[in-house]
Amino acid sequence: MNTTEELDIITRMRGEVKSRQDVTGENLFLAWGYPTVLVLLAEFAALMIWNEDWCVWLWAGIPLIGIPLMIYFLDKDYARTHSRTHDQNNILVMWIFIGFASCLGGCLMGFSGVFRQAFFAYLSLLCGMGCFMTGIILHFRPKTICGILSSLLSAVPLFFQNDLWPWQLLVTAVTITISLIIPGHLFRSYVRNKRFE
Amino acid sequence: MSNFKFQVINPLLHSELRLKIMVALDSLKSADFMYLCQITDSTRGNVSTQITTLKEAGYIEVSKSGIGRFSRTTCSITNRGREALRAYEEGLRRLFSERVPDEVDATRKKKEA
């Protein structure tokens, strides 16, 4: 091989890798969005009906449903593309960090009562920021807009304090719908349309 | 000039298939064995041999997961491999530009200025 051929191979391979890159992860937002909203609604109903200590264990439903679904969809995506891009990896790492931060806040709230009044504002803000950053990385504007909207709405739960506290759950269900479920469905249809093109 | 030329030609990367694998892995976070076979349009045996060579040189990392029919070999480039590829590409570009006739080079430099 001479210099020109080698440089040509390098350029050609970069182009080839780029052209094969497929947008994936269309189900991940939904895999976390639906369990979170369902658990929030279940928790709200349980607090309204029973209001007992065991209600706190309902929160375990989010990771118990979300983690297997996430692993399943990640594996499915990898089996189709056989590769993972730097962008996909960055988004995954960012959401794992958000997941841990939410879990830590949830544990503080659930087991010690600390952070009780501000937790849902914090959770909504984290999800809104995650959605915004994902939209920026993927150049998908609906996610960016939903992320901004959800971040702005994250202050609303703070208006429901003390006796009104359970209503924070319903407001958070709305912000999670805006930051995960709506952009999740929009992204899913975008990816499917792109794949069929 | 001749000294420089010898420094540029990293024998490990001066092979078409190895260079293709390295460039593909440089553009991705990770890729599995099947992906590398498809993108380089090479046989499993060839890719496997070159992967072993690159792994021994510390240019790539190889991890295996799953059992039997469901096993998956995933490769990713190491920092050392990335640096070697950058140096190699830079060297090739310098060599290429030195071969460009002086007049063309002068015109190009004028345009850049």
Side-chain angles (χ1 to χ4, degrees):
Chain A
M1 280 194 299
N2 61 34
T3 320
T4 320
E5 282 170 344
E6 284 190 273
L7 284 171
D8 183 49
I9 285 174
I10 292 173
T11 315
R12 206 152 29 86
M13 281 305 290
R14 292 225 163 99
E16 182 83 9
V17 170
K18 209 174 178 187
S19 70
R20 277 173 181 247
Q21 274 174 13
D22 200 358
V23 187
T24 55
E26 70 269 24
N27 294 311
L28 291 174
F29 266 46
L30 300 176
W32 281 103
Y34 277 114
T36 309
V37 169
L38 284 176
V39 167
L40 281 165
L41 296 177
E43 182 76 23
F44 177 76
L47 284 176
M48 286 295 168
I49 299 166
W50 297 288
N51 197 14
E52 286 177 21
D53 287 346
W54 60 263
C55 295
V56 77
W57 292 104
L58 282 173
W59 294 112
I62 300 177
L64 282 177
I65 306 170
I67 290 173
L69 276 177
M70 180 183 75
I71 291 169
Y72 169 73
F73 286 124
L74 280 176
D75 206 53
K76 202 177 156 193
D77 283 343
Y78 201 89
R80 195 168 52 77
T81 59
H82 295 285
S83 62
R84 180 171 293 151
T85 63
H86 291 291
D87 282 352
Q88 286 165 352
N89 194 62
N90 291 343
I91 292 171
L92 186 65
V93 170
M94 180 182 73
W95 279 103
I96 288 172
F97 180 82
I98 289 174
F100 275 113
S102 307
C103 190
L104 183 70
C107 289
L108 280 174
M109 181 200 71
F111 297 112
S112 70
V114 179
F115 207 35
R116 186 178 156 90
Q117 303 298 333
F119 173 69
F120 291 109
Y122 166 76
L123 179 69
S124 305
L125 185 63
L126 277 179
C127 288
M129 280 164 57
C131 180
F132 173 76
M133 291 304 292
T134 310
I136 293 284
I137 295 170
L138 294 175
H139 306 291
F140 187 66
R141 197 168 287 175
K143 274 191 182 181
T144 314
I145 294 167
C146 287
I148 294 171
L149 198 62
S150 173
S151 301
L152 290 173
L153 288 173
S154 67
V156 178
L158 294 172
F159 292 101
F160 298 89
Q161 299 282 334
N162 304 319
D163 291 346
L164 291 173
W165 184 82
W167 294 92
Q168 285 198 7
L169 297 161
L170 284 189
V171 179
T172 310
V174 174
T175 60
I176 298 293
T177 305
I178 295 169
S179 62
L180 292 179
I181 295 179
I182 295 172
H185 277 290
L186 291 172
F187 189 61
R188 194 165 179 252
S189 65
Y190 163 78
V191 170
R192 291 198 164 184
N193 286 339
K194 210 174 173 191
R195 221 169 268 161
F196 284 119
E197 268 173 17
Chain B
M1 167 70 190
S2 59
N3 255 351
F4 168 68
K5 218 170 200 174
F6 284 117
Q7 279 171 10
V8 164
I9 306 299
N10 179 343
L12 273 166
L13 298 178
H14 192 60
S15 138
E16 187 176 341
L17 185 50
R18 279 200 290 267
L19 184 62
K20 279 182 174 179
I21 292 171
M22 287 293 284
V23 176
L25 290 176
D26 183 44
S27 311
L28 296 163
K29 175 70 187 168
S30 63
D32 74 10
F33 183 71
M34 289 310 295
Y35 179 89
L36 293 175
C37 290
Q38 285 167 9
I39 203 153
T40 56
D41 200 18
S42 307
T43 60
R44 289 176 182 203
N46 278 341
V47 173
S48 177
T49 311
Q50 304 312 334
I51 282 177
T52 310
T53 311
L54 290 169
K55 188 188 164 190
E56 280 167 2
Y59 285 0
I60 64 169
E61 274 172 1
V62 181
S63 61
K64 290 188 180 184
S65 59
I67 308 158
R69 215 163 67 86
F70 301 102
S71 68
R72 180 184 287 163
T73 306
T74 310
C75 305
S76 58
I77 195 166
T78 60
N79 285 338
R80 192 179 167 191
R82 192 163 279 131
E83 277 166 21
L85 185 66
R86 293 274 178 280
Y88 190 73
E89 193 180 347
E90 200 180 306
L92 285 176
R93 290 195 192 285
R94 279 174 68 184
L95 268 179
F96 182 74
S97 64
E98 276 174 21
R99 284 175 51 194
V100 174
D102 288 345
E103 308 96 67
V104 180
D105 209 25
T107 319
R108 201 190 63 195
K109 277 178 185 169
K110 232 180 208 177
K111 274 185 186 173
E112 282 174 5

